[in-house]
Amino acid sequence: MRGRITKSVQQNYRLFVKVLCEKKVPLGVVITNLENQRCMEEWWTNNEKVFKNSGIYPDGHACITASPAVAVILPERYKESRERMRELLRNLTLSTGTGWRKEKKGWLIDLLGKMAKILLPRRGRSSQGPTRAKLTKKLVKECGFSSQDAKSIAASIIEVIRDQNPDSDASGSSL
């Protein structure tokens, strides 16, 4: 990520932290290109609120320089950056007490269950499944995708389902 926190970064954060890792894996943010800052840590002090306002709550951070040129020109600053990275990793590793691992089959079943909950109709509603338009609307509302991205994703989902179920509606207008 460079510059600002985009919608895509926010979506990736939610997907990674909340869905894939079930809020059980600590997240560390590393801010680089700070070789010209008088005090690299000031960057975080001045910008932490931007992350929080975007709904991103890292468990730790490191403000560093990673430029190989800095290793030659400012070896102490480069050494400080390496130590900050080690400290971040050490703290994040120790914060959980144990590593997090989920059995592959169970993880996939959970993930598909979460996706179905968001995207598919609830019991008692149409058994055909949502139309492409309804699926697009849910992807925008529930997942925060742009309308254009949601349309593309919905079309892909319908195509995959059609490939899996050749007897389904060939127009792709409903699942």
Side-chain angles (χ1 to χ4, degrees), residues 61-78:
H61 71 276
C63 294
I64 67 165
T65 179
S67 169
V70 174
V72 175
I73 300 166
L74 300 168
E76 287 304 313
R77 181 156 278 211
Y78 194 75

Side-chain angles (χ1 to χ4, degrees), residues 18-131:
K18 295 178 180 179
V19 177
L20 298 178
C21 297
E22 301 175 0
K23 298 182 184 177
K24 295 180 181 174
V25 176
L27 173 77
V29 173
V30 179
I31 296 90
T32 62
N33 296 327
L34 298 177
E35 44 275 350
N36 294 324
Q37 292 273 63
R38 189 176 57 81
C39 174
M40 293 187 289
E41 189 61 29
E42 278 181 13
W43 189 97
W44 183 255
T45 303
N46 295 332
N47 293 281
E48 179 181 12
K49 63 187 171 292
V50 174
F51 284 83
K52 289 183 178 180
N53 291 341
S54 297
I56 297 174
Y57 300 93
D59 298 295
H61 71 276
C63 294
I64 67 165
T65 179
S67 169
V70 174
V72 175
I73 300 166
L74 300 168
E76 287 304 313
R77 181 156 278 211
Y78 194 75
K79 182 179 176 186
E80 173 189 350
S81 293
R82 288 178 52 166
E83 186 49 44
R84 285 182 186 207
M85 281 301 302
R86 285 186 184 117
E87 183 180 343
L88 173 64
L89 293 170
R90 205 172 17 253
N91 289 341
L92 292 176
T93 303
L94 294 174
S95 72
T96 60
T98 61
W100 183 71
R101 200 175 187 151
K102 191 157 188 164
E103 186 253 322
K104 287 179 189 176
K105 185 178 177 185
W107 176 83
L108 181 60
I109 290 167
D110 286 349
L111 179 62
L112 293 174
K114 289 173 188 172
M115 289 175 61
K117 224 190 265 186
I118 292 171
L119 301 175
L120 299 177
R122 291 180 176 78
R123 286 197 172 140
R125 295 189 188 167
S126 167
S127 61
Q128 278 188 312
T131 63

